[in-house]
Amino acid sequence: MTALPFHDTTDFDDAARGLIGKMEPCVVHAADGRVVWDNDAYAFLDADCPDTANPSLWRQGQLCAQQGLFEVTDGIYQVRGLDISNMTLVEGDEGVIVIDPLISKETAAAALALYRKHRGNRLVTAVIYTHAHGDHFGGVHGVYRDGIPVVAAHGFMEAAVAENVYAGPAMNRRAEYMYGATLPKGPAGQIGAGLGQTTSTGSIGLIPPTVEITGTGQEERLDGVLIRFQMTPGTECPVEMNFLFPERRALCMAENATHNLHNLLTLRGAVVRDARIWAHYLNETIDLFGPDMDVAFASHHWPMWGRERVVEYLSQQRDLYAYLHDQTLRLMNQGYTGTEIAEMIEMPPVLEAAWHTHGYYGSVSHNVKAIYQRYLGWFDGNPASLWKHPPEAAAVRYVDAFGGASVVIAKAQGFIDGGDLRFAVELLNHVVFADETNTEARQLLAGVYDTLGWGAENGTWRNFYLQGAAELRDGVQPLPMELAGAPDLVSALSVGQLFDSVAIRVNGPRAWDSHLTIDWVFTDLRLMHRTELTNGVLIQDDDPARASVDLTVTLTRRQLLGLLAGAVRVDELTTAGDTTALRRLLSVLDPPPGSFPIVTP
Ligand SMILES: [Zn+2]
């Protein structure tokens, strides 16, 4: 690996440029007094990098922990360091346009208040969501005023809901590992997440867009400010857009170019992103907007000034994703598997020598595997991998084949002493999965995870290792926040999506023998929906033919939500037919899931 370019301190200049005022103290509370954001907890990053952190990630933490209101260019401001994402404020004729209102209502309100403290009490005249990830819309209630336009790219609501609701419980649990939000912050603990410091934990909402951007080149004038859009579907998010403020020569890069190698597959889990398309759109951005801007900013990290610098930066970001894509495919077509390619790929020296291409959030290792997964899937083609025992069953057999847990632990200690922590993890993980009460193995594995976390340049790898270590020592703690349960997200679901979310809670085996058909007549939506439970699946029909059904339920959408949450009883609804059908359906639904074990069986 090339030596890190510590002599290049331009990022620190850029991250401090235009500072107008800090928030002091930089701590945000919920109405009940709970702390939902504490940037001051990162004050320890002012010190030199300790042995318990990778110097490159430590540096990234120092940059991401800068907080305050900053001027980007004339009439454009950013509040940074009040959440994992940035809020950008663009002053118009009458008030101010908000781009990306952070994750939580509380942090968004605090960011707007910080802006107003220095720029006057301007009214919010529009909201723009750059893309459909929760850290770019969740705090909208902290800035929204009734009736103002809310702007997003075509398909926004579907993308926002699909990513956050269907797989929400699994993603939330894994996000706890990824962001380390519950880990203690400190030199040996959580020092950031690479993309920002961590996620705020306040209340999440979603207000549907009222102005839809449908094509590249579309222009809108909001509060007197001209904005020219570029659609970038399938890049960092299925629905995302970059846009230019031509009158101010300023370019918003959404989350398509930030000061790190981003994720092609975020470790919390998601549908794999397309590196090829990502590079394609970055190239298009340079063509479309390159001549007309003097500054670029994004919804994470700090801006960059100077047309030539920005074009070089965007070109390198483009080359980063293109190189990973093309080289992975080249080696894949020679028969190498994702795990192998991840060890083989070396990045070009020019890219390695820039800071913004480093893997603080995505990594070359897991992105290469993601590209492999996108094209070829989980199976590496070797029949030995086709029908493996699951972890616990394999673990019991490994431990037995070695001659018992104490032998495996001794072998693992040998690999630790020899510096091969990766194989020590493999061995110790088998011991823990064979017998989770083996305290010696748990403690030893936790120690190895600490060391791996402290060495990681990637913030999310560090958090995964340290969270794993914490749970090996102290067990699984309850989740602090339920993203999937956020009322706005649930109420943003269409009736079809709502029943989809019911369908994925049907406990298949318990429902094998139930067959029932229910018509749902929604008085408020003026529509009818039929669900049929058959062979353990809930089939939907939004345009059912006349037929005899077991039960017809007449209700409102709100009553359905109440019914699913257990707040509305069956006998409170207007029904015709056999009400036991509804009770039978409810009885085969699994309760909403909570925390599940990850580093133990
Ligand atoms: Zn984001």
Side-chain angles (χ1 to χ4, degrees):
M1 192 172 116
T2 324
L4 290 164
F6 277 103
H7 59 274
D8 180 0
T9 55
T10 326
D11 284 335
F12 284 93
D13 301 336
D14 285 345
R17 180 167 165 171
L19 175 66
I20 291 172
K22 294 188 184 223
M23 179 171 161
E24 282 166 322
C26 195
V27 179
V28 180
H29 296 88
D32 62 4
R34 195 168 53 88
V35 172
V36 299
W37 180 255
D38 180 2
N39 199 66
D40 293 347
Y42 292 106
F44 65 85
L45 285 166
D46 288 343
D48 287 338
C49 180
D51 293 340
T52 51
N54 182 301
S56 183
L57 180 61
W58 187 263
R59 173 190 175 278
Q60 184 80 348
Q62 290 179 329
L63 287 160
C64 291
Q66 312 263 343
Q67 58 91 1
L69 173 71
F70 299 82
E71 185 181 48
V72 176
T73 188
D74 196 27
I76 301 184
Y77 300 83
Q78 277 192 323
V79 175
R80 303 201 286 269
L82 263 68
D83 210 317
I84 195 165
S85 39
N86 301 333
M87 183 194 286
T88 305
L89 300 117
V90 181
E91 293 180 354
D93 292 344
E94 308 289 329
V96 66
I97 303 163
V98 171
I99 304 172
D100 288 357
L102 309 180
I103 293 182
S104 310
K105 182 178 82 176
E106 296 84 352
T107 51
L112 183 60
L114 179 65
Y115 163 81
R116 284 178 170 160
K117 182 178 165 197
H118 297 281
R119 295 294 307 162
N121 199 19
R122 284 171 173 266
L123 289 177
V124 174
T125 48
V127 171
I128 303 176
Y129 303 134
T130 59
H131 63 290
H133 288 153
D135 54 327
H136 302 269
F137 64 76
V140 65
H141 286 294
V143 303
Y144 181 74
R145 279 193 313 126
D146 271 346
I148 60 171
V150 177
V151 182
H154 173 74
F156 177 89
M157 286 302 280
E158 216 175 85
V161 165
E163 261 205 43
N164 295 324
V165 176
Y166 290 163
M171 283 182 181
N172 280 347
R173 172 68 175 128
R174 294 165 55 131
E176 194 184 5
Y177 270 70
M178 178 167 170
Y179 295 106
T182 55
L183 285 172
K185 299 171 178 62
Q190 208 266 14
I191 63 170
L195 187 68
Q197 286 307 84
T198 187
T199 48
S200 69
T201 52
S203 27
I204 292 166
L206 175 58
I207 292 172
T210 56
V211 178
E212 195 178 66
I213 306 303
T214 54
T216 293
Q218 182 173 341
E219 291 188 344
E220 295 290 332
R221 204 172 266 287
L222 294 173
D223 195 7
V225 180
L226 182 66
I227 310 173
R228 191 176 300 147
F229 293 90
Q230 176 200 11
M231 303 285 280
T232 66
T235 51
E236 189 264 337
C237 180
V239 173
E240 187 150 358
M241 58 190 189
N242 300 329
F243 40 95
L244 181 79
F245 296 89
E247 296 146 336
R248 291 171 189 175
R249 298 185 58 83
L251 172 63
C252 174
M253 285 305 296
E255 199 164 327
N256 285 317
T258 47
H259 289 270
N260 52 211
L261 166 58
H262 211 293
N263 277 309
L264 297 175
L265 181 54
T266 168
L267 296 182
R268 71 167 156 78
V271 175
V272 182
R273 298 163 190 165
D274 187 347
R276 191 181 62 84
I277 288 289
W278 200 327
H280 162 81
Y281 281 120
L282 285 173
N283 197 50
E284 189 184 72
T285 307
I286 297 168
D287 286 345
L288 281 175
F289 299 143
D292 302 317
M293 51 80 187
D294 294 318
V295 60
F297 61 89
S299 292
H300 293 274
H301 300 141
W302 48 96
M304 184 181 280
W305 288 267
R307 203 191 75 80
E308 281 174 23
R309 275 186 73 210
V310 174
V311 169
E312 181 187 60
Y313 160 75
L314 294 178
S315 311
Q316 289 176 347
Q317 285 275 314
R318 171 199 65 196
D319 295 349
L320 184 60
Y321 298 107
Y323 189 87
L324 284 175
H325 176 270
D326 295 351
Q327 295 307 306
T328 300
L329 272 281
R330 178 176 71 86
L331 294 168
M332 193 173 92
N333 286 331
Q334 290 174 18
Y336 294 102
T337 65
T339 325
E340 289 167 333
I341 301 167
E343 303 291 319
M344 293 165 76
I345 283 209
E346 267 188 277
M347 298 308 285
V350 168
L351 297 189
E352 196 68 26
W355 282 113
H356 67 88
T357 55
H358 280 251
Y360 303 113
Y361 195 51
S363 72
V364 169
S365 174
H366 73 257
N367 278 346
V368 162
K369 292 170 191 164
I371 295 167
Y372 186 92
Q373 177 185 324
R374 182 174 176 92
Y375 284 92
L376 297 181
W378 65 270
F379 179 44
D380 63 11
N382 183 342
S385 317
L386 190 54
W387 195 31
K388 283 190 173 186
H389 282 295
E392 281 180 73
V396 169
R397 287 161 175 79
Y398 269 107
V399 170
D400 186 52
F402 267 79
S406 55
V407 182
V408 188
I409 291 172
K411 288 275 184 197
Q413 187 62 56
F415 282 98
I416 295 171
D417 297 341
D420 187 349
L421 301 187
R422 293 166 72 179
F423 198 68
V425 164
E426 177 108 15
L427 293 179
L428 291 169
N429 186 55
H430 282 317
V431 182
V432 172
F433 270 73
D435 173 15
E436 63 173 312
T437 66
N438 189 318
T439 320
E440 190 189 358
R442 285 177 81 122
Q443 295 298 330
L444 199 55
L445 182 54
V448 177
Y449 281 161
D450 280 342
T451 310
L452 285 169
W454 294 336
E457 186 185 40
N458 186 289
T460 66
W461 283 39
R462 178 184 173 102
N463 294 336
F464 259 88
Y465 282 128
L466 298 187
Q467 183 72 30
E471 293 187 4
L472 281 170
R473 293 186 177 115
D474 305 325
V476 177
Q477 311 297 319
L479 269 178
M481 181 178 66
E482 281 290 355
L483 183 67
D488 270 14
L489 284 186
V490 174
S491 60
L493 296 172
S494 69
V495 167
Q497 290 169 324
L498 211 50
F499 282 113
D500 279 342
S501 73
V502 175
I504 57 186
R505 275 175 54 198
V506 170
N507 184 310
R510 267 213 327 261
W512 283 344
D513 301 325
S514 292
H515 186 254
L516 55 94
T517 310
I518 300 176
D519 274 350
W520 306 82
V521 180
F522 291 94
T523 51
D524 52 338
L525 305 172
R526 295 162 188 269
L527 58 83
M528 186 164 87
H529 212 82
R530 179 170 298 160
T531 57
E532 181 182 2
L533 185 67
T534 166
N535 291 320
V537 292
L538 192 70
I539 300 294
Q540 301 184 47
D541 190 344
D542 60 5
D543 186 22
R546 205 174 266 276
S548 77
V549 296
D550 297 305
L551 175 69
T552 300
V553 185
T554 305
L555 77 179
T556 63
R557 201 173 175 291
R558 178 183 284 273
Q559 283 177 307
L560 176 63
L561 290 172
L563 183 70
L564 295 172
V568 169
R569 294 192 319 271
V570 174
D571 57 23
E572 292 175 65
L573 301 171
T574 308
T575 53
D578 174 15
T579 53
T580 69
L582 182 50
R583 292 181 211 279
R584 278 187 285 143
L585 173 61
L586 294 173
S587 75
V588 299
L589 300 185
D590 272 353
S595 288
F596 49 79
I598 290 178
V599 290
T600 51

